[in-house]
Amino acid sequence: DVKVTQSSRYLVKRTGEKVFLECVQDMDHENMFWYRQDPGLGLRLIYFSYDVKMKEKGDIPEGYSVSREKKERFSLILESASTNQTSMYLCASSLGGGTYEQYFGPGTRLTVT
Amino acid sequence: GENVEQHPSTLSVQEGDSAVIKCTYSDSASNYFPWYKQELGKRPQLIIDIRSNVGEKKDQRIAVTLNKTAKHFSLHITETQPEDSAVYFCAARRGGADGLTFGKGTHLIIQP
């Protein structure tokens, strides 16, 4: 069974702080993704990664960066948090190699005050 | 880029009736179309998916149909039950990349 975990369920940060969201998967998946979910907007892709040290921009990368130093771990970084980054952040992973199913983590609800 | 439209935003059906949720996509190169169910406070769960070389797929009470010409795909749930109440999201995999573009979601309400 695929297991995707995220470091925090709830996080409260102040404007201007640097924020790290961590995601770990235990199924040796090649691909990892970060989405944000906002009411009425669905899920929107921020960044994804095909392999260690590889990253690709999604639809809304502005204000975010990512890091993938190990295959099982994918970090989302908010360099200087702003109130419009208050959201639910969901990490996902997929096996790759023609297998497209994505499995999601439980999410981190981030509030920036 | 890809754009996915989903309708309706809210759907209320009587228990035992069928429910249909429809999505359209814009990128003809998209080749994979999953459907996710999200219960309140929980993560999205994959319930069914279809690839572009298949027109229809069924799994017990749920089915998905795909019309590539019209760039349209639909989720069908038959014999609805109270536990089907949730928000459902359709998505499309962009051509040449693994990221998904999601619809805005449909809140399905099963009336007893």
Side-chain angles (χ1 to χ4, degrees):
Chain A
D1 208 20
V2 178
K3 190 171 183 184
V4 182
T5 58
Q6 295 182 228
S7 51
S8 307
R9 288 304 307 271
Y10 300 95
L11 209 52
V12 180
K13 295 292 181 180
R14 293 194 179 273
T15 302
E17 280 193 81
K18 190 168 186 176
V19 181
F20 293 86
L21 303 182
E22 304 285 337
C23 175
V24 177
Q25 50 90 10
D26 68 355
M27 289 301 292
D28 201 34
H29 281 183
E30 296 289 335
N31 304 326
M32 297 187 74
F33 310 84
W34 277 105
Y35 296 88
R36 64 177 281 177
Q37 182 175 18
D38 300 287
L41 295 179
L43 287 78
R44 292 178 290 166
L45 181 65
I46 304 171
Y47 266 99
F48 59 103
S49 169
Y50 287 117
D51 200 350
V52 174
K53 298 192 185 297
M54 302 292 288
K55 61 183 180 183
E56 296 283 344
K57 291 181 180 179
D59 294 319
I60 52 166
E62 297 79 18
Y64 304 94
S65 61
V66 291
S67 173
R68 194 167 181 201
E69 296 295 322
K70 293 185 177 181
K71 189 175 185 179
E72 67 272 16
R73 188 178 297 270
F74 193 34
S75 301
L76 180 69
I77 303 156
L78 288 66
E79 295 290 343
S80 177
S82 63
T83 54
N84 62 12
Q85 293 178 309
T86 291
S87 186
M88 171 67 81
Y89 290 88
L90 289 159
C91 174
S93 71
S94 69
L95 183 60
T99 302
Y100 303 143
E101 293 86 345
Q102 290 189 22
Y103 298 91
F104 283 86
T108 295
R109 182 163 295 282
L110 173 67
T111 302
V112 183
T113 61
Chain B
E2 175 65 278
N3 182 50
V4 176
E5 299 283 342
Q6 182 172 348
H7 298 281
S9 56
T10 304
L11 178 60
S12 182
V13 301
Q14 291 292 124
E15 183 178 348
D17 287 351
S18 295
V20 180
I21 302 170
K22 299 181 179 182
C23 289
T24 59
Y25 62 99
S26 61
D27 187 350
S28 57
S30 291
N31 61 358
Y32 170 70
F33 307 91
W35 285 88
Y36 285 85
K37 175 184 180 182
Q38 188 176 31
E39 297 174 346
L40 191 62
K42 296 191 175 180
R43 72 188 77 189
Q45 297 273 10
L46 179 69
I47 56 170
I48 196 167
D49 55 13
I50 192 167
R51 297 203 176 203
S52 58
N53 58 349
V54 176
E56 185 174 358
K57 184 176 179 181
K58 191 174 181 180
D59 183 4
Q60 298 181 15
R61 295 187 299 108
I62 60 173
V64 57
T65 58
L66 172 65
N67 182 329
K68 280 173 54 180
T69 303
K71 294 185 202 161
H72 172 275
F73 58 113
S74 300
L75 177 71
H76 305 253
I77 306 174
T78 59
E79 301 171 10
T80 52
Q81 301 169 3
E83 54 265 35
D84 294 330
S85 293
V87 178
Y88 291 80
F89 293 97
C90 63
R93 175 184 180 269
R94 307 105 172 280
D98 279 302
L100 296 175
T101 300
F102 282 82
K104 290 182 168 52
T106 296
H107 186 195
L108 177 62
I109 301 165
I110 308 301
Q111 302 278 7

